[in-house]
Amino acid sequence: MFGSMKIRDKLLFPIVLLILVTIGSSYVLVEELTQTNAAFESLIKTKLKARFLSKDVTAQLSEAGRLANLMLLQREPADIKASGDKLQAVFDVIAARRDELSKLAPDAEAAIGKTTVSLNAMSGALKPTLELKYARDFDGATAYWAANARSALLPALNAMNETADHLAQAANDAVAAQVAATNDKIRTLVIALVISITLISVLTLAIILRGVVNPLNQLTKKIIQLSSGDGNFELPEAERGDELGSMGKALLVFRANAEKIKVAMGAEAVTIEIGEVITKAAQNDLTVRVELGDKTGFLRNIGVAINQLLERSNATLKDIGQKTRQVADAVIEASAAVGQVSSGVRSQNAAVGQVSQALAESALAIRTVSSSANTANDKGIMAAQLVERGQLSAEELFGIVEKIAQNSRKISQITQVIAGIANRTHILSLNAAIEAARAGEHGKGFVVVSQEVGKLAESAAQNAQQITDIVEQATADAAAGRTASLEVKKTMDSIAGEVSQTSQMIQSIAAAMEEQQATVTQIENNLVDIRGIASGNAVAAEEITATMIQLSQLAAEQRQQVDQFKTS
């Protein structure tokens, strides 16, 4: 039920419940106070008023006794009349209070009866007493009053005092009972209210702990774990429907981006390793290889292609070296044969008999040189083909380096996306901090989470910037690799040119050998012109010697160029 509620609703639910309980308790308290007020009004109108009336009747009886004594002491008719009128007015008040008291206090009938007797006695004795006073019979008036009224006043006063005390005690008891009952009800209501508030507080704490604090603590631990580089954890919070679910989904994005960053950093290390291999190869070391044990994906394909290129280049250069040495050996043999021809020409005038043998040996040597030249020509053609393959491999290397540069640009775009996500996350953390500040005391824990999310966003932005710098460096290295591959291609083109020249020279040698063989055949067929032929052979031998010297120099230069490359 509470899992899909927003945090605001979770916090508002117990608050609204507490407000409703408070309103209900206030309503019950108001009703109880209303009933208590009505009870006190009833007491005031009955027992307290009866107590007041009994006290007032007692006071009026005392006042009647005082006025009667004053009237008995007066001598002037006007004063007597005034006192008599006052006394009659007091009698009227006593009668009204007595009737009202009889309605309010039925248990005071005895005192009321004595009051009635006393009132009747004094009222009945008032007129005769006044007549005696007016007749100037003061002693008779006093005696009449004492005999007919005074004796009834004291029992009425005593009875009314006792009734007043009794009514006062009854009123006090009733008030105390009402106060006790009211206190009990208020105490019960307060206890119920305290229990309700306690239960609501416990429920509020349980909701906050279970629905807000505990998930926040779990998310905080997972954020800290992710910030340390460990993303191996479950995120059931992402399935929630509240703000914590949104935070869980954001954390899933952060974890995915962290894994991508980790893969990108691994790709960066592999790219650096491949760049080092290419650098060494550009420095004429063809024995280096890319380690493929820990490589996967397109980086492994790049490593395989580079290794194949290096192996082909290594084999090609080894083959070119072998062919060059064979050419050099053939040149040496041809030079020796030409020396033998020259020696035979110089000695043929002295030993004409040895001409045929020398010519046979010369023909054999020429055939050997021609065969070696043809073999060298074939090897030169093979070397040209190998160099062409080396050129193709260099072009493949150039394409691979270009793919590395393109992948570096893709990684740069990915880091830009990560930086954008980090910026948006930082903005979300600021908004969360503002909302937490509005929440007051209940939002302190969420402030910590928003700060951690803000720090994580800043860290992600910094890591994205670092990855951007690394990718830029990788792009620069790829550009350097592309330059190196161009240099390799240029070197291969130069080798191809040299091999082509060598092949042409070997073809020239073969043609010269064919000419020499024809010349020897002519010498054999025309011994008459042996001196002329010997002279021609001497000239041809000098030309061949010069050609062999040039060919030997070219072979030595080519061997030096090949020896610059380190091969296994």
Side-chain angles (χ1 to χ4, degrees):
M1 173 182 178
F2 295 103
S4 60
M5 293 176 61
K6 301 295 184 182
I7 293 178
R8 179 189 62 186
D9 298 333
K10 292 177 182 178
L11 296 176
L12 287 177
F13 175 74
I15 294 174
V16 172
L17 185 61
L18 181 61
I19 291 173
L20 292 177
V21 171
T22 303
I23 293 173
S25 301
S26 300
Y27 176 77
V28 174
L29 181 61
V30 169
E31 287 294 324
E32 184 60 30
L33 291 176
T34 301
Q35 294 177 4
T36 302
N37 185 48
F40 276 109
E41 287 181 358
S42 178
L43 288 175
I44 291 171
K45 291 179 179 180
T46 56
K47 294 185 180 297
L48 292 176
K49 189 173 182 181
R51 173 193 173 190
F52 171 76
L53 290 174
S54 62
K55 290 290 186 181
D56 191 39
V57 169
T58 303
Q60 294 297 331
L61 288 173
S62 298
E63 179 66 17
R66 186 186 69 78
L67 290 174
N69 291 330
L70 180 63
M71 181 189 66
L72 293 174
L73 293 174
Q74 290 174 342
R75 301 291 181 173
E76 296 298 328
D79 295 335
I80 295 170
K81 185 176 184 306
S83 296
D85 294 338
K86 290 180 180 180
L87 186 58
Q88 185 59 49
V90 170
F91 290 158
D92 294 337
V93 171
I94 291 173
R97 297 288 190 272
R98 178 201 60 192
D99 295 338
E100 189 176 359
L101 182 60
S102 63
K103 295 177 181 178
L104 296 176
D107 54 345
E109 286 298 330
I112 293 173
K114 292 181 179 180
T115 301
T116 302
V117 171
S118 176
L119 182 60
N120 292 334
M122 287 189 294
S123 297
L126 178 60
K127 186 175 180 180
T129 303
L130 291 175
E131 291 176 352
L132 291 173
K133 291 288 287 184
Y134 294 151
R136 314 297 291 178
D137 186 0
F138 300 114
D139 293 334
T142 301
Y144 184 82
W145 181 263
N148 294 284
R150 185 171 293 166
S151 59
L153 179 60
L154 186 59
L157 282 173
N158 293 333
M160 193 54 65
N161 281 327
E162 292 177 357
T163 300
D165 293 338
H166 173 72
L167 291 175
Q169 184 63 39
N172 291 333
D173 292 342
V175 170
Q178 184 62 41
V179 169
T182 302
N183 291 335
D184 290 339
K185 291 181 180 180
I186 292 175
R187 189 181 300 109
T188 302
L189 181 62
V190 169
I191 292 172
L193 180 61
V194 169
I195 293 173
S196 300
I197 292 174
T198 302
L199 292 176
I200 293 173
S201 300
V202 171
L203 178 61
T204 302
L205 291 176
I207 292 174
I208 292 174
L209 286 175
R210 185 175 178 181
V212 179
V213 176
N214 291 337
L216 281 177
N217 290 335
Q218 294 296 325
L219 282 175
T220 301
K221 291 179 181 178
K222 292 173 182 178
I223 289 171
I224 294 173
Q225 183 178 350
L226 182 60
S227 64
S228 63
D230 184 8
N232 187 15
F233 51 79
E234 298 295 331
L235 266 175
E237 292 84 359
E239 299 178 359
R240 298 170 64 96
D242 55 2
E243 291 85 349
L244 296 176
S246 300
M247 292 180 64
K249 293 181 179 66
L251 190 57
L252 283 176
V253 175
F254 284 141
R255 184 171 67 179
N257 291 335
E259 292 176 355
K260 292 180 181 178
I261 292 170
K262 191 174 181 180
V263 171
M265 292 179 68
E268 176 207 359
V270 175
T271 304
I272 292 174
E273 181 182 352
I274 294 174
E276 292 176 352
V277 171
I278 294 173
T279 301
K280 291 181 180 179
Q283 295 173 355
N284 300 331
D285 185 3
L286 300 180
T287 61
V288 294
R289 296 291 184 272
V290 177
E291 293 294 334
L292 302 176
D294 56 345
K295 309 298 187 298
T296 58
F298 74 95
L299 294 175
R300 180 179 177 86
N301 297 333
I302 293 174
V304 171
I306 291 175
N307 288 342
Q308 291 177 354
L309 175 62
L310 292 174
E311 289 174 358
R312 292 175 183 174
S313 300
N314 189 15
T316 300
L317 290 174
K318 285 176 64 178
D319 196 10
I320 290 173
Q322 292 176 357
K323 299 301 185 293
T324 303
R325 283 190 290 272
Q326 291 177 1
V327 171
D329 293 339
V331 169
I332 293 173
E333 293 176 359
S335 297
V338 171
Q340 291 178 1
V341 172
S342 297
S343 177
V345 171
R346 285 191 300 267
S347 63
Q348 68 180 346
N349 290 327
V352 176
Q354 299 177 356
V355 170
S356 296
Q357 184 179 358
L359 288 175
E361 293 176 355
S362 178
L364 179 61
I366 289 171
R367 285 194 295 271
T368 303
V369 170
S370 178
S371 177
S372 299
N374 291 328
T375 302
N377 186 26
D378 295 336
K379 297 297 183 180
I381 294 172
M382 293 177 64
Q385 293 176 353
L386 292 174
V387 169
E388 287 178 357
R389 281 189 284 178
Q391 290 175 334
L392 293 176
S393 299
E395 291 177 355
E396 291 178 359
L397 176 61
F398 180 81
I400 291 169
V401 172
E402 183 64 25
K403 289 182 179 179
I404 293 173
Q406 292 177 359
N407 291 328
S408 299
R409 288 192 291 272
K410 291 180 180 178
I411 294 172
S412 178
Q413 294 175 358
I414 291 171
T415 54
Q416 291 177 1
V417 174
I418 293 172
I421 293 172
N423 290 332
R424 290 196 296 272
T425 306
H426 186 65
I427 294 173
L428 289 175
S429 66
L430 291 177
N431 293 332
I434 294 172
E435 294 297 328
R438 291 179 179 176
E441 188 69 19
H442 298 289
K444 288 185 176 180
F446 196 71
V447 170
V448 176
V449 175
S450 64
Q451 291 176 353
E452 291 297 329
V453 171
K455 292 179 181 177
L456 181 59
E458 293 176 356
S459 176
Q462 294 175 358
N463 292 331
Q465 184 61 40
Q466 292 177 0
I467 293 171
T468 302
D469 296 338
I470 292 170
V471 170
E472 290 177 355
Q473 184 63 37
T475 304
D477 293 338
R482 183 170 57 186
T483 302
S485 64
L486 289 174
E487 291 296 327
V488 171
K489 187 175 183 300
K490 290 179 180 178
T491 302
M492 290 298 175
D493 294 337
S494 177
I495 293 172
E498 295 295 333
V499 170
S500 177
Q501 292 179 3
T502 302
S503 179
Q504 292 176 0
M505 290 179 181
I506 291 172
Q507 290 175 0
S508 298
I509 293 172
M513 289 299 100
E514 290 176 358
E515 292 176 0
Q516 181 66 27
Q517 188 174 4
T519 302
V520 171
T521 303
Q522 185 178 3
I523 291 172
E524 290 177 347
N525 296 328
N526 193 3
L527 292 175
V528 177
D529 296 328
I530 191 169
R531 289 185 180 274
I533 295 172
S535 299
N537 286 338
V539 174
E542 291 177 357
E543 292 178 356
I544 291 171
T545 301
T547 302
M548 290 301 166
I549 292 172
Q550 184 180 3
L551 182 59
S552 178
Q553 292 176 352
L554 290 174
E557 291 176 358
Q558 185 176 5
R559 185 170 56 188
Q560 290 177 357
Q561 292 178 353
V562 172
D563 289 340
Q564 291 179 359
F565 292 91
K566 182 180 179 182
T567 59
S568 58

